[in-house]
Structures are given as C-alpha cells and as structure tokens.
Coordinates of all heavy atoms in Angstrom, one line a residue:
L25 N -2.3 -0.3 18.8 CA -2.2 -0.5 20.2 C -2.5 -2.0 20.6 O -1.9 -2.5 21.5 CB -3.2 0.4 20.9 CG -2.9 1.9 20.8 CD1 -4.0 2.8 21.4 CD2 -1.5 2.2 21.4
R26 N -3.4 -2.6 19.9 CA -3.7 -4.0 20.2 C -2.4 -4.9 19.9 O -2.1 -5.8 20.8 CB -4.8 -4.5 19.3 CG -5.1 -6.0 19.4 CD -6.3 -6.4 18.6 NE -6.5 -7.8 18.5 CZ -6.0 -8.6 17.6 NH1 -5.3 -8.2 16.6 NH2 -6.3 -9.9 17.6
C27 N -1.7 -4.6 18.8 CA -0.5 -5.4 18.5 C 0.6 -5.1 19.6 O 1.3 -6.0 20.0 CB 0.0 -5.1 17.1 SG -1.1 -5.7 15.8
E28 N 0.7 -3.8 19.9 CA 1.7 -3.4 21.0 C 1.4 -4.2 22.3 O 2.3 -4.7 23.0 CB 1.6 -1.9 21.2 CG 2.3 -1.1 20.1 CD 3.8 -1.0 20.2 OE1 4.4 -1.8 21.0 OE2 4.4 -0.2 19.5
W29 N 0.1 -4.2 22.6 CA -0.3 -4.8 23.9 C 0.0 -6.3 23.9 O 0.4 -6.8 25.0 CB -1.8 -4.6 24.1 CG -2.3 -5.1 25.4 CD1 -3.0 -6.3 25.6 CD2 -2.2 -4.5 26.7 NE1 -3.3 -6.5 26.9 CE2 -2.8 -5.4 27.6 CE3 -1.7 -3.3 27.1 CZ2 -2.9 -5.0 29.0 CZ3 -1.8 -3.0 28.5 CH2 -2.4 -3.8 29.4
R30 N 0.0 -6.9 22.8 CA 0.3 -8.4 22.7 C 1.7 -8.6 22.4 O 2.1 -9.8 22.3 CB -0.6 -9.0 21.6 CG -2.1 -9.0 22.0 CD -2.9 -9.9 21.2 NE -4.3 -10.0 21.7 CZ -5.2 -10.9 21.2 NH1 -4.9 -11.7 20.3 NH2 -6.4 -10.9 21.8
G31 N 2.5 -7.6 22.3 CA 3.9 -7.8 22.1 C 4.4 -8.3 20.8 O 5.4 -8.9 20.6
H32 N 3.6 -8.0 19.8 CA 3.9 -8.5 18.4 C 4.4 -7.3 17.6 O 3.7 -6.6 17.0 CB 2.6 -9.1 17.7 CG 2.9 -10.0 16.6 ND1 3.2 -9.5 15.3 CD2 3.0 -11.3 16.5 CE1 3.5 -10.5 14.5 NE2 3.4 -11.6 15.2
A33 N 5.8 -7.2 17.7 CA 6.4 -6.0 17.2 C 6.2 -5.8 15.7 O 5.9 -4.7 15.2 CB 7.9 -6.0 17.5
P34 N 6.4 -6.8 14.8 CA 6.2 -6.5 13.3 C 4.8 -6.1 13.0 O 4.7 -5.1 12.2 CB 6.5 -7.9 12.7 CG 7.4 -8.6 13.7 CD 6.9 -8.2 15.0
S35 N 3.8 -6.7 13.6 CA 2.4 -6.3 13.3 C 2.2 -4.9 13.8 O 1.5 -4.1 13.2 CB 1.4 -7.3 13.9 OG 1.5 -8.5 13.3
A36 N 2.7 -4.6 15.0 CA 2.6 -3.2 15.6 C 3.2 -2.2 14.7 O 2.6 -1.1 14.5 CB 3.2 -3.2 17.0
T37 N 4.3 -2.5 14.1 CA 5.0 -1.6 13.2 C 4.2 -1.2 12.0 O 4.0 -0.1 11.6 CB 6.4 -2.1 12.8 OG1 7.2 -2.4 13.9 CG2 7.1 -1.2 11.8
I38 N 3.6 -2.3 11.4 CA 2.9 -2.0 10.1 C 1.5 -1.3 10.4 O 1.1 -0.5 9.6 CB 2.6 -3.2 9.3 CG1 1.8 -4.3 10.0 CG2 4.0 -3.8 8.9 CD1 1.5 -5.5 9.2
W39 N 0.9 -1.6 11.5 CA -0.3 -0.9 11.9 C 0.0 0.6 12.3 O -0.7 1.5 11.9 CB -1.0 -1.5 13.1 CG -1.9 -2.7 12.8 CD1 -1.6 -4.0 12.9 CD2 -3.2 -2.6 12.4 NE1 -2.6 -4.8 12.5 CE2 -3.7 -3.9 12.2 CE3 -4.1 -1.6 12.1 CZ2 -5.0 -4.3 11.8 CZ3 -5.4 -1.9 11.7 CH2 -5.8 -3.2 11.5
R40 N 1.2 0.8 12.9 CA 1.6 2.1 13.2 C 1.9 2.9 12.0 O 1.6 4.1 11.9 CB 2.8 2.1 14.2 CG 3.2 3.5 14.7 CD 4.3 3.5 15.6 NE 5.6 3.1 15.0 CZ 6.2 2.0 15.3 NH1 5.7 1.1 16.1 NH2 7.4 1.7 14.7
L41 N 2.5 2.3 11.0 CA 2.7 3.0 9.7 C 1.4 3.5 9.1 O 1.3 4.6 8.6 CB 3.4 2.0 8.7 CG 4.9 1.8 9.0 CD1 5.4 0.6 8.1 CD2 5.7 3.0 8.6
Q42 N 0.4 2.6 9.1 CA -0.9 3.0 8.6 C -1.5 4.2 9.4 O -2.1 5.1 8.8 CB -1.9 1.8 8.5 CG -1.5 0.8 7.5 CD -1.6 1.2 6.1 OE1 -2.5 1.9 5.7 NE2 -0.7 0.8 5.2
W43 N -1.4 4.1 10.7 CA -1.9 5.2 11.5 C -1.2 6.5 11.3 O -1.8 7.6 11.2 CB -1.8 4.8 13.0 CG -2.2 5.9 13.9 CD1 -3.5 6.3 14.2 CD2 -1.4 6.8 14.7 NE1 -3.5 7.4 15.1 CE2 -2.2 7.7 15.4 CE3 0.0 6.9 14.9 CZ2 -1.7 8.6 16.3 CZ3 0.5 7.8 15.7 CH2 -0.4 8.7 16.4
Q44 N 0.2 6.4 11.1 CA 0.9 7.6 10.8 C 0.5 8.2 9.4 O 0.5 9.4 9.2 CB 2.4 7.3 10.8 CG 2.9 7.0 12.3 CD 4.4 6.5 12.3 OE1 4.9 6.0 11.3 NE2 5.0 6.6 13.4
A45 N 0.2 7.3 8.5 CA -0.2 7.7 7.2 C -1.5 8.5 7.3 O -1.7 9.5 6.6 CB -0.4 6.5 6.3
A46 N -2.4 8.0 8.2 CA -3.7 8.7 8.4 C -3.4 10.1 8.9 O -4.1 11.1 8.5 CB -4.6 7.9 9.4
C47 N -2.4 10.3 9.8 CA -2.1 11.6 10.4 C -1.5 12.5 9.3 O -1.6 13.7 9.4 CB -1.2 11.4 11.5 SG -1.8 10.5 13.0
L48 N -0.8 11.9 8.3 CA -0.2 12.7 7.3 C -1.2 13.1 6.1 O -0.9 14.0 5.3 CB 1.0 12.0 6.7 CG 2.2 11.8 7.6 CD1 3.3 11.0 6.9 CD2 2.8 13.2 7.9
C49 N -2.3 12.4 6.1 CA -3.2 12.6 4.9 C -3.7 14.1 4.8 O -3.8 14.5 3.6 CB -4.5 11.7 5.1 SG -4.2 10.0 4.5
P50 N -4.0 14.8 5.8 CA -4.4 16.2 5.6 C -3.3 17.0 4.9 O -3.7 17.9 4.0 CB -4.6 16.7 7.0 CG -4.9 15.5 7.9 CD -4.1 14.4 7.3
F51 N -2.0 16.8 5.2 CA -1.0 17.6 4.5 C -0.9 17.1 3.0 O -0.6 18.0 2.2 CB 0.3 17.4 5.2 CG 0.3 17.9 6.7 CD1 0.1 17.0 7.7 CD2 0.4 19.2 6.9 CE1 0.0 17.5 9.0 CE2 0.4 19.7 8.2 CZ 0.2 18.8 9.3
A52 N -1.0 15.8 2.8 CA -1.0 15.4 1.4 C -2.2 15.9 0.6 O -2.1 16.3 -0.5 CB -1.1 13.8 1.4
L53 N -3.3 16.0 1.3 CA -4.5 16.6 0.7 C -4.3 18.1 0.3 O -4.6 18.5 -0.8 CB -5.7 16.5 1.7 CG -7.1 16.7 1.1 CD1 -8.1 16.1 2.0 CD2 -7.4 18.2 1.0
L54 N -3.7 18.8 1.2 CA -3.4 20.2 0.9 C -2.4 20.4 -0.3 O -2.7 21.2 -1.2 CB -2.8 20.9 2.1 CG -3.7 21.3 3.3 CD1 -2.9 21.7 4.5 CD2 -4.7 22.4 2.9
A55 N -1.4 19.6 -0.3 CA -0.4 19.7 -1.4 C -1.1 19.2 -2.7 O -0.9 19.9 -3.8 CB 0.8 18.8 -1.1
T56 N -1.9 18.2 -2.7 CA -2.6 17.7 -3.9 C -3.6 18.7 -4.4 O -3.8 19.0 -5.6 CB -3.2 16.3 -3.7 OG1 -2.2 15.5 -3.1 CG2 -3.7 15.7 -5.0

C-alpha cells in the first residue's frame, strides 16, 4: 500500500506478490 500510495508501480507489484504469497501459504501448508 505504501508503494501504491507513492505511485511506484514496479515496487508495488513485487510487494503485492509477496502479500499474495502470504495469503496462499495456508493452502500450500495443507497440501504439504
């Protein structure tokens, strides 16, 4: 959100990827 607020699209994208990874972790945990 900080990168989005400052209008820095590439940084926002990679932070969002990490946040999305955090949201997917429970499903990866179940499969593993």
Side-chain angles (χ1 to χ4, degrees):
L25 293 174
R26 173 176 175 269
C27 294
E28 286 278 11
W29 183 260
R30 295 194 171 190
H32 199 278
S35 293
T37 299
I38 63 174
W39 277 98
R40 186 175 68 249
L41 283 169
Q42 292 291 323
W43 177 73
Q44 291 171 342
C47 295
L48 289 176
C49 277
F51 299 99
L53 193 158
L54 284 170
T56 309

